[in-house]
Amino acid sequence: MNKSQEIESIIAQRQPLAKKLEEIKKGLSSLYAAIQQLEQERDRQLLHWAGDDATQSKLQKLNFASFQQNIMEHLASLGTLQKRFSRKTLNIGVIGRMGQGKSTLLQSLTGLNNEVIPALPGKPCTAARSTIRHQPGNLTTAEIQFHDRDSFLQEIIIPYYKKLGLTPIPSSFEAFAHSALPSLPTGADQTDINIYNRLKDDYHTHATQYQEYLGRGSLTLQDESQISKYVASQYNQGYQLINHECLAVKQVKIACSFPVEEIGAIALVDVPGLGDFKLGDESLVIEALGQEVDFILFIHKPSNGRAAFEQSDTQLYDLANKALNDLPSRSMFVLNADRNGENQESCRSLKRDLDSGTVQMPVLDCVIADCSSPEAANSKVLQVVLNNLRSNVTQLDRKYAEQKIADLQASLIELKQQLQLAEGILPHINTYEIEALYDDLFEDFWEKITNEIMNFLKEDLIKTRETPDENLKNQIETVLQDCRENPYMPTIEEVKKLCNKLGGAASAYNEYLIELRTNLSRKFLDMDKGLKKTIEGTKAKVADVLIEKCALGGLTKVRGAEFLAEVAGQIPPDYTELKKGFDILSGFNLSYRGLIQHRIRLELDPLTPDKTAGLKIEGVNAQDILDHLHELYQETIFQCKKALEGFLSEPSQASFAIVEEFADRVLRAKTAKKEWKRFLRPKRDQIWEDFEKLEKQIDASKEWSRLLNSVSGQINDLEGSLKTL
């Protein structure tokens, strides 16, 4: 197996790990959601158990928030691992402070020139993180990924504001670009002044030049001469930035053919050099090392005659150690030797310090190489890295994954212990006591409803069933008054015209009789209003008794007669007596047509031509016809009034009769009490406050148990996945 095949084998061995970690992440995400729901339910439980200080105290002591935070940390670390194992390349990170030869080494390893990876004296060149992937062939391509406005604001601009204490912090890129830059706080040191000038001179002053690139997504280039303006910062003779588009770049992915044959799926990750006044570089280092790097090359170039590491070197090492696991087994120092050998002794001195442990920055190896020499870079640096990757990266990956899984398993054990505490927190509600309470409350209800309905019958309806109904009486008077004041009576001219039209007084007289009868009968149809008002009033009184005195108001929000209809709709058909009683009462009505109309029609016979005495024809004129019509109309109204007075007590009698029938069905029937008890049992929490609270607590306990079981199930599933890693 050649080197390329070995690297492909390492990458292939990672894929099952990546797939398994993705499965574990999904399980963790589900567990997080379940715990979040449990935490929210805990807050609701505090309301259900108000007044129970002991239970509330136990609930408040439960700490699920820390487990949520713990899971988020596990998700982040496993996500980093999963991304690393999912890559199709083994990545080597190259980091170092500016001016150490990092870009020079990258040129030597990749064969790229200054057009793509500038390695020039003066200001720092690298502007954005670059990943350079080996790809057989002669074509060099670059994918430029730009910030969107939000990521640019959060990752680039706001760190300046926080570092320098500038206020107010902009809420959007537009607010930053189009508002004056806040002044530096009084007493700023020279370092802060230089950082402030970088923010002002590059990012703020030239916002209009680079903002068009923000949110553009990505750009693919195949012309090498066009790549460097996005990868590197370019300055004029006055040390002013001239390629502002590089400021909008988030990262660059370059593919080219490396000089070493059979290198395989290798990529180099170039992180901007540290040490200038551009903020965010540390976060770039951590992000790059944590997610994209398998091995690190620390680049350091000592000066001739000065063989000592500086504090910034150990700080950079510590930074890398935070981001990448097993750093001593995943890193190497490259001491960059001058081509002419002037700093060779300094390099050897630093190597002795590292090898002996005099300087505590443990690495796998330390080599001295001229980074400007492709031969030295490949033979002394890259080959050593590849040998180390082939020999131990798979073991390191699995070891690190197992460590993370062990940490997760320990967290799950703690979570299960917390769940055990949560299981016994809520008080046990005795179902037998609940049923006994219902029996007692129902007996009180039954006594009230039988007493109150019978009192209503005796005190209100029996005493008044022979009493003239005021609603009907008032409606009769209203109708009769309308008949008197608004008769349909023709004028004398209309009578004359009709006589002429019909050819005689008799025909005209008969025609007017029919019109008077029709108009009068229509007016009496309004009698329904009085009848309806009385019956609906009786229904409303029964509803009031049930609501106010029998405490059934919780069955529905509607009131009055509609209450009876609503309750009738709630009663199941198999509760025959109860349902029949409510259906009869709620559906009962008195109507003019059914009760009174047939009597009124008899009194209208005098206005019917073939049922009344005819008009004497001889010598009759229009005035005679009109006078006779007036007389007959008034007499008919009088007779109707007498007939109606005989019905004045009918609504009172009907009210008594229908409520008596209602009582027979819902109180006196053999199965009435049993049907009431069965009907009210599932609705008891709507009627009695004691049950309302109990039912809520019962439901709350069931929901609490359900959520605890859900979390436990998520943990069991997750533990099963962890065992098969």
Side-chain angles (χ1 to χ4, degrees):
M1 184 183 294
N2 60 34
K3 294 177 182 177
S4 175
Q5 291 171 331
E6 286 186 37
I7 291 172
E8 292 291 350
S9 175
I10 292 171
I11 294 171
Q13 291 176 46
R14 285 179 155 189
Q15 301 310 306
L17 276 175
K19 185 176 180 180
K20 191 63 182 179
L21 288 174
E22 180 63 28
E23 177 187 331
I24 293 171
K25 278 175 55 187
K26 289 181 180 178
L28 264 181
S29 296
S30 297
L31 178 60
Y32 179 87
I35 293 176
Q36 188 177 45
Q37 193 174 2
L38 186 61
E39 176 76 1
Q40 293 169 350
E41 180 60 29
R42 190 273 302 272
D43 294 339
R44 286 191 289 269
Q45 291 288 340
L46 289 170
L47 300 176
H48 292 310
W49 301 97
D52 186 342
D53 294 340
T55 300
Q56 285 199 321
S57 177
K58 292 176 185 178
L59 285 168
Q60 288 169 340
K61 289 178 181 178
L62 293 176
N63 182 14
F64 295 116
S66 62
F67 289 102
Q68 289 178 266
Q69 178 62 34
N70 189 269
I71 289 175
M72 291 301 294
E73 292 171 359
H74 283 300
L75 279 171
S77 62
L78 293 177
T80 298
L81 263 185
Q82 192 262 338
K83 289 179 181 177
R84 184 192 295 177
F85 295 161
S86 298
R87 289 197 311 267
K88 303 300 182 181
T89 58
L90 288 181
N91 290 0
I92 303 167
V94 184
I95 64 174
R97 293 181 295 109
M98 67 175 185
Q100 302 299 300
K102 177 172 59 67
S103 296
T104 301
L105 176 63
L106 288 170
Q107 286 185 353
S108 297
L109 294 175
T110 63
L112 297 172
N113 55 30
N114 280 332
E115 287 187 329
V116 182
I117 307 176
L120 304 172
K123 285 196 172 187
C125 296
T126 308
R129 183 173 81 240
S130 302
T131 301
I132 310 168
R133 176 172 57 88
H134 170 62
Q135 178 175 275
N138 298 320
L139 185 64
T140 298
T141 62
E143 179 187 345
I144 315 298
Q145 295 181 355
F146 296 100
H147 281 284
D148 57 34
R149 297 191 173 215
D150 184 62
S151 69
F152 183 82
L153 180 72
Q154 298 297 328
E155 298 175 22
I156 304 298
I157 300 304
I158 289 181
Y160 279 92
Y161 276 73
K162 291 182 176 179
K163 167 67 176 174
L164 299 172
L166 304 180
T167 56
I169 293 176
S171 58
S172 65
F173 172 77
E174 288 73 18
F176 164 71
H178 302 303
S179 301
L181 197 64
S183 300
L184 263 175
T186 305
D189 59 24
Q190 193 58 50
T191 299
D192 284 351
I193 292 173
N194 289 330
I195 293 174
Y196 180 83
N197 288 338
R198 178 69 184 268
L199 173 66
K200 175 172 64 71
D201 296 340
D202 287 352
Y203 292 110
H204 190 265
T205 302
H206 299 288
T208 55
Q209 280 100 318
Y210 64 80
Q211 69 176 359
E212 63 178 288
Y213 294 93
L214 298 176
R216 184 177 285 191
S218 62
L219 172 67
T220 301
L221 300 174
Q222 296 183 353
D223 183 350
E224 290 188 20
S225 65
Q226 296 297 312
I227 297 175
S228 64
K229 68 179 181 179
Y230 297 103
V231 175
S233 304
Q234 300 171 6
Y235 300 90
N236 60 19
Q237 293 181 347
Y239 296 104
Q240 294 176 323
L241 186 68
I242 57 176
N243 60 325
H244 300 99
E245 56 267 46
C246 74
L247 299 175
V249 176
K250 187 177 181 71
Q251 67 174 345
V252 179
K253 295 182 179 180
I254 300 172
C256 67
S257 178
F258 287 15
V260 175
E261 294 182 1
E262 295 186 358
I263 192 172
I266 287 293
L268 300 172
V269 179
D270 176 18
V271 178
L274 305 183
D276 76 337
F277 300 108
K278 176 183 176 183
L279 293 188
D281 288 347
E282 286 195 1
S283 62
L284 281 174
V285 171
I286 291 176
E287 181 183 355
L289 299 184
Q291 295 186 6
E292 300 186 23
V293 170
D294 300 296
F295 197 92
I296 290 177
L297 291 177
F298 291 104
I299 312 301
H300 182 77
K301 185 175 184 179
S303 62
N304 182 27
R306 182 173 176 80
F309 286 107
E310 298 177 2
Q311 185 178 2
S312 59
D313 296 308
T314 56
Q315 288 174 342
L316 181 58
Y317 181 90
D318 290 340
L319 187 66
N321 199 28
K322 292 178 183 178
L324 188 63
N325 64 291
D326 299 308
L327 183 64
S329 301
R330 291 180 179 269
S331 61
M332 186 172 82
F333 253 100
V334 178
L335 299 174
N336 188 5
D338 289 333
R339 185 180 295 243
N340 55 19
E342 290 182 356
N343 69 343
Q344 278 286 345
E345 184 54 40
S346 296
C347 289
R348 284 192 288 270
S349 176
L350 292 182
K351 179 172 170 55
R352 285 193 295 271
D353 289 342
L354 288 170
D355 291 343
S356 65
T358 303
V359 175
Q360 287 295 316
M361 289 189 289
V363 291
L364 195 63
D365 203 350
C366 175
V367 300
I368 299 173
D370 175 8
C371 292
S372 66
S373 167
E375 181 180 355
N378 281 284
S379 62
K380 293 185 177 182
V381 179
L382 185 57
Q383 291 299 335
V384 175
V385 173
L386 294 180
N387 290 337
N388 281 299
L389 284 173
R390 293 200 308 273
S391 64
N392 69 356
V393 72
T394 301
Q395 290 77 12
L396 289 173
D397 286 345
R398 179 165 289 278
K399 175 186 173 184
Y400 187 52
E402 289 173 350
Q403 176 189 331
K404 291 297 181 183
I405 295 306
D407 292 342
L408 176 56
Q409 287 173 324
S411 297
L412 294 179
I413 290 172
E414 291 182 18
L415 179 55
K416 287 196 289 186
Q417 292 172 347
Q418 188 76 358
L419 290 178
Q420 289 176 352
L421 291 176
E423 285 176 358
I425 280 180
L426 300 185
H428 176 68
I429 299 176
N430 192 312
T431 55
Y432 294 106
E433 291 181 4
I434 293 174
E435 289 304 317
L437 175 61
Y438 175 67
D439 289 341
D440 291 343
L441 290 174
F442 178 78
E443 289 300 324
D444 290 342
F445 160 77
W446 183 250
E447 183 177 341
K448 283 181 181 179
I449 192 172
T450 52
N451 184 58
E452 296 298 339
I453 293 294
M454 294 310 299
N455 282 344
F456 177 63
L457 279 167
K458 294 176 181 178
E459 301 300 325
D460 289 72
L461 299 182
I462 292 179
K463 289 181 179 180
T464 60
R465 62 179 170 178
E466 301 299 332
T467 303
D469 181 64
E470 287 298 319
N471 291 322
L472 181 58
K473 181 179 179 182
N474 292 337
Q475 189 62 35
I476 289 172
E477 186 55 42
T478 299
V479 171
L480 292 175
Q481 185 174 354
D482 182 40
C483 293
R484 297 187 193 100
E485 295 177 356
N486 301 296
Y488 177 74
M489 199 64 64
T491 64
I492 194 166
E493 293 300 324
E494 290 173 336
V495 174
K496 290 178 180 179
K497 289 180 180 179
L498 188 61
C499 288
N500 293 333
K501 178 181 178 181
L502 298 179
S507 296
Y509 177 70
N510 288 340
E511 186 77 16
Y512 282 125
L513 283 178
I514 294 172
E515 290 183 5
L516 285 176
R517 187 190 71 236
T518 302
N519 181 60
L520 198 57
S521 65
R522 185 185 303 112
K523 291 181 182 293
F524 279 107
L525 294 176
D526 285 346
M527 298 299 301
D528 273 336
K529 295 178 181 179
L531 294 170
K532 181 177 181 181
K533 188 174 182 180
T534 294
I535 297 304
E536 291 300 301
T538 299
K539 293 180 186 178
K541 289 178 181 178
V542 175
D544 287 343
V545 170
L546 297 175
I547 294 168
E548 302 298 333
K549 297 182 178 180
C550 302
L552 294 181
L555 293 176
T556 174
K557 292 182 179 180
V558 300
R559 293 296 181 259
E562 292 181 6
F563 173 85
L564 302 174
E566 179 65 25
V567 173
Q570 294 180 19
I571 300 173
D574 50 332
Y575 298 169
T576 53
E577 295 292 355
L578 196 58
K579 187 168 185 61
K580 187 69 172 176
F582 274 90
D583 281 342
I584 289 173
L585 180 56
S586 63
F588 179 73
N589 278 303
L590 285 180
S591 70
Y592 165 75
R593 289 182 177 86
L595 184 65
I596 302 174
Q597 189 181 41
H598 62 285
R599 291 290 302 273
I600 294 299
R601 297 301 303 188
L602 290 174
E603 305 303 333
L604 295 180
D605 282 353
L607 299 179
T608 304
D610 58 353
K611 294 182 181 180
T612 188
L615 183 67
K616 295 180 180 180
I617 302 302
E618 187 177 349
V620 173
N621 56 29
Q623 186 62 51
D624 294 333
I625 293 175
L626 198 57
D627 291 342
H628 199 73
L629 288 173
H630 271 291
E631 182 181 346
L632 192 55
Y633 182 77
Q634 294 299 326
E635 177 62 24
T636 301
I637 291 175
F638 177 75
Q639 294 301 326
C640 286
K641 178 182 178 182
K642 288 176 62 178
L644 289 170
E645 288 174 347
F647 287 92
L648 287 177
S649 62
E650 290 290 333
S652 299
Q653 294 173 5
S655 294
F656 167 77
I658 194 61
V659 175
E660 181 79 2
E661 182 66 26
F662 173 74
D664 282 346
R665 302 277 70 77
V666 305
L667 298 179
R668 303 184 184 112
K670 185 177 181 180
T671 60
K673 183 176 181 179
K674 180 173 65 176
E675 290 179 7
W676 269 113
K677 192 168 187 178
R678 291 179 178 177
F679 171 61
L680 294 181
R681 178 174 277 108
K683 300 176 181 292
R684 55 195 177 186
D685 59 311
Q686 299 172 235
I687 301 169
W688 294 289
E689 288 185 3
D690 291 345
F691 275 110
E692 181 181 9
K693 183 177 181 180
L694 272 174
E695 292 294 342
K696 287 181 178 179
Q697 289 178 338
I698 291 171
D699 291 342
S701 296
K702 290 179 180 178
E703 180 63 9
W704 185 247
S705 296
R706 186 189 71 79
L707 290 176
L708 289 176
N709 290 333
S710 174
V711 174
S712 295
Q714 299 278 359
I715 294 174
N716 292 336
D717 292 343
L718 194 54
E719 287 181 327
S721 296
L722 299 180
K723 290 178 182 177
T724 59
L725 182 66

